[in-house]
Amino acid sequence: MTLIQQVTERVRGEGGRMTGQRRLILEALENLSGHPTAEEIYARVRKEDAEINLSTVYRTLRWLEESGFVAPRWFEDDHRRERFDAAGSSDDHFHFRCRTCNQIIEFDDPNLEIVKQAFETQYLAEVENITLVLYGLCARCKIQPNQAQGA
Amino acid sequence: MTLIQQVTERVRGEGGRMTGQRRLILEALENLSGHPTAEEIYARVRKEDAEINLSTVYRTLRWLEESGFVAPRWFEDDHRRERFDAAGSSDDHFHFRCRTCNQIIEFDDPNLEIVKQAFETQYLAEVENITLVLYGLCARCKIQPNQAQGA
DNA sequence: CAGCTTATTGCGAATTATTTGCAAATGGCA
DNA sequence: TGCCATTTGCAAATAATTCGCAATAAGCTG
Ligand SMILES: [Mn+2]
Ligand SMILES: [Mn+2]
Ligand SMILES: [Zn+2]
Ligand SMILES: [Zn+2]
């Protein structure tokens, strides 16, 4: 089932409406690679609907966030800009961000489970969530002096 | 050698001046526990010097940041507020933040070195920096319904 | 299909954290 | 003590995101 279908089902179930704007924003989320900002989503959606407003984009993203369809992310390089992860909040994974081309690579690693458990045991704490970001140079930028992309 | 002495040495070496404001901000950094915000440092410093301006605090923190004496940190709970880590940029460590009392625990774990190397090998990338934050409940908040502190 | 109800949108103004320009103040050497 | 470049205080600027509200439009219902 596609993202739009899932969201439609959800919104209808709670007496909400599936509007053209919401459909366009969902399409943008599916098609834009990486972790786009609200502005990037706005720019994309604007191609189809020149009248859409940036605040609608924000509002829709917040609403998708509440339902767990997108997850907010911040990276240190541009820490003020919120980015939106279409992977949603249930699928947890970690990120690598290239300092040169700003590319983001998603990955997972079973060692984090060990780190988590070690911490919980030592501090008698309960870890609910893990944010791990590696910063550095991707394979391409390591050799080739590359032009920056994105933010 | 104390932080103030280190910074004095550095600033004098580059033709700068060690002002009363800078001294107070450094004292605040040494005395405030955790990872204070600019406002928190400002509030503390204001007790000694009622005339000091918030922009001086920011400017001084940025300057300390450039020299590696403090490191900026952002936590997801209040992601817009920059926090300042007096540990500096050379000492790398990771953080746990309690969702209830906002306490921050610093820790290290050799497994992160393994995660880093595994990533580098798999993606032929070069990792320069690692940010890891665990979110959850500290030992105290796990049992006792606690009142929030800080931001 | 037209009318109705109310969820959603567009718009502009507000908010919040941080930065900046500039004239006045002051640290520290002579 | 005087000089002058470095810092400061202040007020205004920035930038990302949010909010209030009147206008619009989903999606029933008849
Ligand atoms: Mn992701
Ligand atoms: Mn720290
Ligand atoms: Zn790259
Ligand atoms: Zn706690």
Side-chain angles (χ1 to χ4, degrees), chain A residues 12 16-19 38 54-55 58-59 62 80-82:
Chain A
R12 305 274 43 256
R17 295 166 188 180
M18 180 48 54
T19 66
L54 180 57
S55 64
Y58 273 108
R59 264 187 304 232
R62 292 281 163 256
R80 305 177 120 119
R81 267 198 167 68
E82 186 169 4

Side-chain angles (χ1 to χ4, degrees), chain A residues 23-68:
Chain A
R23 253 186 294 267
L24 286 171
I25 291 164
L26 288 165
E27 276 177 32
L29 273 169
E30 278 188 316
N31 296 321
L32 285 171
S33 67
H35 298 67
T37 63
E39 286 280 1
E40 285 163 356
I41 293 164
Y42 176 57
R44 170 76 174 235
V45 158
R46 233 164 166 349
K47 290 179 187 168
E48 306 288 317
D49 173 3
E51 302 305 306
I52 198 170
N53 194 276
L54 180 57
S55 64
T56 300
V57 173
Y58 273 108
R59 264 187 304 232
T60 302
L61 288 167
R62 292 281 163 256
W63 169 75
L64 291 170
E65 199 180 313
E66 273 169 37
S67 318

Side-chain angles (χ1 to χ4, degrees), chain A residues 10 20 31-32 45 57 72 76 86 98 104-105 111 123 130:
Chain A
R10 158 82 58 134
N31 296 321
L32 285 171
V45 158
V57 173
E76 298 191 1
C98 177
I104 287 166
I105 298 174
N111 283 297
Y123 291 93
I130 302 178

Side-chain angles (χ1 to χ4, degrees), chain B residues 35-37 40 71-73 75 78 81-85 97 151:
Chain B
H35 298 68
T37 63
E40 284 164 356
R73 312 268 181 225
F75 298 98
D78 59 345
R81 267 199 166 67
E82 186 169 4
R83 292 178 172 276
F84 296 89
D85 194 335
R97 182 159 180 183

Side-chain angles (χ1 to χ4, degrees), chain A residues 98 100-101 103 138 141 146:
Chain A
C98 177
T100 301
C101 69
Q103 174 193 186
C138 73
C141 295
N146 211 347

Side-chain angles (χ1 to χ4, degrees), chain A residues 96-105 136-142 144 146-147 149:
Chain A
F96 163 88
R97 182 160 178 183
C98 177
R99 291 230 192 267
T100 301
C101 69
N102 291 319
Q103 174 193 186
I104 287 166
I105 298 174
L137 296 175
C138 73
R140 194 141 43 89
C141 295
K142 222 171 58 173
Q144 160 190 168
N146 211 347
Q147 60 277 45
Q149 317 171 343

